[in-house]
Amino acid sequence: TATAATTAPATPTAPAELLKMWERSPSDPERMHVLQLLFVLGICYQYGIGTGKSAERAAYCHRVAAQHGYAPAQCSWGLAHDTGLGVRNVNTDLALYWYCRGGVQGHLMSIYNSAVCREEQHDFPLATRLYRWAAEQGHVGAQFSLAVAYDLGQGVAPDAVQAACWFKCAADAGHSGALTSYGFCLERGAGLPQDLQRAVQAYQAAAEQEEASGIFNLAVCHERGIGVPQDMVEAVKLYRRAAAQNDPDAQNSMGWVYCSGQGGVQPDMDLATHYFRLAARQQHGEAEFNLALCLTQLASDRRTAVHLLQRALKHKHQGARDVLSDLLQSWHT
């Protein structure tokens, strides 16, 4: 006897089909499943997974799912307004509204994004409470931000012990910025006992993620013999890596390397000036001062040197006032 061919039901691939499924779904769990599919379809449109990439279609899917109460979609729809992706204009008020809608359902990323919005509005007490809410539930970014709040005293009283504790929580989860900050706490003994070897380990873990500040701090350890044998050659390699990531401290250090010829590097005033200039463009006070000295010694551009010394003075560089005074005096003699 002939067997009738069976055909698997087609998987819906368009938002309209999913909405029809949602309307026909007899129970809340089934409706929630349809909203999950709609959210995932939005992600596919957002990143071009199995379909054409379209921020507008992604935003549409997330808007519909958000309006029907699906918290992850509410977060994504808020993010669309936060970034302007898939919508006409950036609207931070709408972004915060949708983050709050997701947050009241306990969606951690929505809570975290709400905290970021509040911090940008300079409502630090509320931002810190939101960071704590997400941090205590394991959100790594919120743990790091809460640690920074305790470190800087934003929205809470400064507390080095709490800062170190939350930096450690985020560092244990592999957060690169937290690894650097936790290493700094260990290096300085801020909020916990000093442990130079563990500080170096934390910096190394951050450097393995190419975190520029971690690479720079590890370079300083090698230059000064902090927790590791002193090794200027290794320090220069690390400074160069961090400088390539536009870290101004590392760029300033590379300027000094080329000024002095340390770590097996041949002195080169042109390269020293180049690195000082890169850091000075980021308003690095020490680099502004160093670049001014280079320009003065090279007698290439005294006007720029004066301008840089004035900028360094605004950044409270201690030596800038005396050098500026000497330069202006020699200029008029």
PDB file of all heavy atoms in Angstrom, residues 43 103 106 114 163 182 220 234 294:
ATOM      1  N   ILE A  43      17.266  38.930  16.789  1.00  0.00           N
ATOM      2  CA  ILE A  43      18.721  38.762  16.914  1.00  0.00           C
ATOM      3  C   ILE A  43      19.316  38.317  15.577  1.00  0.00           C
ATOM      4  O   ILE A  43      20.385  38.788  15.164  1.00  0.00           O
ATOM      5  CB  ILE A  43      19.062  37.734  18.018  1.00  0.00           C
ATOM      6  CG1 ILE A  43      18.585  38.242  19.386  1.00  0.00           C
ATOM      7  CG2 ILE A  43      20.551  37.424  18.042  1.00  0.00           C
ATOM      8  CD1 ILE A  43      19.286  39.485  19.867  1.00  0.00           C
ATOM      9  N   GLY A 103      13.502  45.718  33.710  1.00  0.00           N
ATOM     10  CA  GLY A 103      14.098  45.604  35.034  1.00  0.00           C
ATOM     11  C   GLY A 103      13.118  45.155  36.094  1.00  0.00           C
ATOM     12  O   GLY A 103      13.476  44.368  36.980  1.00  0.00           O
ATOM     13  N   GLY A 106      12.942  41.674  36.641  1.00  0.00           N
ATOM     14  CA  GLY A 106      14.151  41.021  37.134  1.00  0.00           C
ATOM     15  C   GLY A 106      15.178  40.721  36.065  1.00  0.00           C
ATOM     16  O   GLY A 106      16.135  39.974  36.328  1.00  0.00           O
ATOM     17  N   SER A 114      19.678  50.337  33.041  1.00  0.00           N
ATOM     18  CA  SER A 114      19.000  51.418  33.772  1.00  0.00           C
ATOM     19  C   SER A 114      19.988  52.155  34.662  1.00  0.00           C
ATOM     20  O   SER A 114      19.961  53.392  34.761  1.00  0.00           O
ATOM     21  CB  SER A 114      17.864  50.846  34.628  1.00  0.00           C
ATOM     22  OG  SER A 114      16.861  50.249  33.835  1.00  0.00           O
ATOM     23  N   ALA A 163      35.139  48.201  47.784  1.00  0.00           N
ATOM     24  CA  ALA A 163      35.627  48.313  46.402  1.00  0.00           C
ATOM     25  C   ALA A 163      36.454  47.086  46.035  1.00  0.00           C
ATOM     26  O   ALA A 163      36.243  46.466  44.987  1.00  0.00           O
ATOM     27  CB  ALA A 163      36.448  49.587  46.234  1.00  0.00           C
ATOM     28  N   TYR A 182      41.603  45.061  40.535  1.00  0.00           N
ATOM     29  CA  TYR A 182      41.895  44.182  41.671  1.00  0.00           C
ATOM     30  C   TYR A 182      43.402  44.043  41.845  1.00  0.00           C
ATOM     31  O   TYR A 182      43.911  44.065  42.986  1.00  0.00           O
ATOM     32  CB  TYR A 182      41.250  42.827  41.447  1.00  0.00           C
ATOM     33  CG  TYR A 182      41.468  41.833  42.562  1.00  0.00           C
ATOM     34  CD1 TYR A 182      41.133  42.147  43.874  1.00  0.00           C
ATOM     35  CD2 TYR A 182      41.993  40.565  42.295  1.00  0.00           C
ATOM     36  CE1 TYR A 182      41.329  41.237  44.901  1.00  0.00           C
ATOM     37  CE2 TYR A 182      42.196  39.650  43.322  1.00  0.00           C
ATOM     38  CZ  TYR A 182      41.862  39.988  44.620  1.00  0.00           C
ATOM     39  OH  TYR A 182      42.059  39.094  45.641  1.00  0.00           O
ATOM     40  N   VAL A 220      54.921  48.279  34.226  1.00  0.00           N
ATOM     41  CA  VAL A 220      55.507  49.010  35.356  1.00  0.00           C
ATOM     42  C   VAL A 220      56.121  48.032  36.358  1.00  0.00           C
ATOM     43  O   VAL A 220      57.217  48.265  36.895  1.00  0.00           O
ATOM     44  CB  VAL A 220      54.442  49.896  36.038  1.00  0.00           C
ATOM     45  CG1 VAL A 220      55.005  50.507  37.320  1.00  0.00           C
ATOM     46  CG2 VAL A 220      53.977  50.996  35.089  1.00  0.00           C
ATOM     47  N   GLU A 234      61.474  43.377  28.833  1.00  0.00           N
ATOM     48  CA  GLU A 234      60.082  42.926  28.861  1.00  0.00           C
ATOM     49  C   GLU A 234      59.142  44.106  29.091  1.00  0.00           C
ATOM     50  O   GLU A 234      58.047  44.171  28.502  1.00  0.00           O
ATOM     51  CB  GLU A 234      59.890  41.883  29.957  1.00  0.00           C
ATOM     52  CG  GLU A 234      58.486  41.313  30.064  1.00  0.00           C
ATOM     53  CD  GLU A 234      58.040  40.538  28.830  1.00  0.00           C
ATOM     54  OE1 GLU A 234      58.909  40.093  28.054  1.00  0.00           O
ATOM     55  OE2 GLU A 234      56.815  40.383  28.644  1.00  0.00           O
ATOM     56  N   CYS A 294      60.866  68.417  24.777  1.00  0.00           N
ATOM     57  CA  CYS A 294      61.466  67.959  23.525  1.00  0.00           C
ATOM     58  C   CYS A 294      61.490  69.082  22.497  1.00  0.00           C
ATOM     59  O   CYS A 294      62.513  69.317  21.828  1.00  0.00           O
ATOM     60  CB  CYS A 294      60.686  66.773  22.963  1.00  0.00           C
ATOM     61  SG  CYS A 294      60.915  65.226  23.847  1.00  0.00           S
TER      62      CYS A 294
END
